Amino acid sequence: MTTFPDASYLILSSRLIPDHDGGYAMAILSRARQMAAAGVDGGRGPLILTFDPGTPADHARHRRAFDERELIVGPDRMRNLFDEASAPSGGAAAWLLEAAETGGPDPALEYRRVDDAEGRPIVGLPVIHGDPDWHITSAPVAVYGRDGAVAGVVAGFGALYRAWLADVVAQLRAASGDTPVVVICESRQLGELIAGWSDPGVRLIHSIHTIHLEPPHTPDAPLNPLWTRWFTLAERFDAVLWLSEAQRSDVIQRFGEEGVHLVIPAGVPAASTVVPGSERVPGRVVMLNRLAPGKRVDHAIRAFRGVLEAVPHATLDIYGGGAEHDALQALIEELGLTAHVVLRGITGEPERVLDAASAFLTTSAFEGQALAIVEAMVRGTPVVAYDVPYGPRDHLANGGGVLVPDGDETALAAAIVRVIADPEEHARLSREAAQMARRVDPDRVTEALAQAVADVLAAPSRRV
């Protein structure tokens, strides 16, 4: 049985909103549940901390939705910075006022005021337009007092976030004594802001959920600009968790072995039974992803014309929401595919969708782990995917689907036909896909995480 070292555990995410952020959100919530099942905090699991400046009512609604779907152990295990930044009697909380220094907002900047549930001001956040590095600004964050006037400032988002984390850690230590604190950071932006946190009793583990490269995604390809600064900070983390061996290898090849890089994929439980091909809907192909440019759903729609030439009864059900919805719907109508290709919106029952499908399709330009592929495979649903890093190429290396040359829509159509039109081929791929369950078994993955925690706790903090 997996046992985590005696410690207080925190999971940090920039935001967690139901039906947003796809596999990223599901992976984080699954990790927390699996840690709870392994006995962390007496089975209650780690605290999940979020940093988005929504209203208290918004955050309560999010927690309630996650709880109703049984995606969290309980609503009390999710906390938000801005919910806790206000004092009951108005103004900023004591921990925030203590962190504030004399000063006021920058008159050259626009500010977004965040209020408490009663409409009283708590903080004023500087708005940095058009800058992807807005989070590292040192522009003052205004802190309001009980009288509604500015009582001082903290130096940027980093100071604001670290002040809250220091208060949360102080609460944990007051309750559990001088046990170490293990922080699993799930967001690049948050990681950059807390990399210098020098508390010797805190260990920082950073989990990576996406690709770090630009096209053509080779190990020596240009870095995604958003990741350039992060790599200068990587050695400050006590461990960095990559979702695949391929991505970890590429990072080490380029940046060297800093002694912190580990491979721990997201754990996905096996299906209790794998639905045989004879009980799936004939010709049904499904996609489960955000409707975002990088997912290239338009490739799937265009390719489906070729599928229908060979399999006239085939259907493509596309589940997910996003900014590309209207453009994709227009493409479906333009190509005369409305009887066969349907945008189904977001589903709360992905397992049911996958169990009914004859094939799972993904056309992403790149992935981190591609959690939806794993979820399809453990349910025995064969996968058709472009041969791109890092998820599809890794997951299908041992069978369970068909890899297609990147961007080749003709080959994509042929691969879909191969999977859904040949019962023997479908049965073989389904058996291979279900074997994925052993590689991503939650117990195995959680054991690897527990060992990583034990290793970082056995060494001094890398930031001291």
Side-chain angles (χ1 to χ4, degrees), residues 12-256:
L12 312 187
S13 176
S14 51
R15 71 178 188 186
L16 284 172
I17 299 175
D19 301 323
H20 285 68
D21 302 315
Y24 166 80
M26 293 300 100
I28 293 171
L29 297 176
S30 294
R31 193 197 304 276
R33 293 197 308 276
Q34 290 157 14
M35 291 175 69
V40 166
D41 198 3
R44 298 197 303 156
L47 282 174
I48 303 173
L49 306 184
T50 61
F51 296 75
D52 61 303
T55 68
D58 288 338
H59 298 136
R61 185 172 65 255
H62 301 160
R63 289 189 289 268
R64 186 165 57 250
F66 285 136
D67 189 42
E68 289 171 352
R69 300 179 194 181
E70 299 183 345
L71 295 175
I72 55 176
V73 175
D76 63 317
R77 305 312 289 167
M78 291 187 72
R79 296 165 60 175
N80 176 268
L81 162 61
F82 293 94
D83 289 353
E84 301 190 4
S86 61
S89 57
W95 59 264
L96 185 48
L97 288 171
E98 290 172 5
E101 300 177 349
T102 301
D106 185 335
L109 293 176
E110 175 187 344
Y111 275 75
R112 173 187 176 185
R113 201 180 84 175
V114 180
D115 297 341
D116 64 15
E118 306 300 324
R120 299 170 297 200
I122 307 168
V123 295
L125 305 177
V127 178
I128 312 297
H129 290 289
D131 186 352
D133 294 330
W134 60 267
H135 60 293
I136 64 169
T137 181
S138 59
V141 172
V143 178
Y144 289 87
R146 183 177 179 182
D147 60 359
V150 174
V153 297
V154 294
F157 295 97
L160 173 64
Y161 294 179
R162 290 190 297 270
W164 182 46
L165 290 172
D167 182 67
V168 172
V169 168
Q171 295 175 32
L172 294 173
R173 287 174 174 157
S176 59
D178 197 26
T179 58
V181 176
V182 176
V183 176
I184 302 176
C185 180
E186 308 276 9
S187 162
R188 172 192 58 81
Q189 293 173 337
L190 294 176
E192 291 180 355
L193 294 178
I194 67 172
W197 191 3
S198 59
D199 187 321
V202 171
R203 298 295 185 275
L204 297 183
I205 297 176
H206 202 304
S207 180
I208 309 300
H209 291 266
T210 189
I211 195 168
H212 62 284
L213 299 168
E214 293 282 270
H217 304 128
T218 54
D220 59 349
L223 281 179
N224 182 310
L226 297 176
W227 284 93
T228 302
R229 181 175 48 255
W230 184 90
F231 275 101
T232 70
L233 304 172
E235 291 188 7
R236 299 189 186 184
F237 301 107
D238 297 292
V240 177
L241 311 182
W242 301 92
L243 291 169
S244 72
E245 180 59 43
Q247 189 171 16
R248 175 184 178 274
S249 296
D250 285 354
V251 167
I252 292 173
Q253 179 179 336
R254 183 161 184 170
F255 297 99

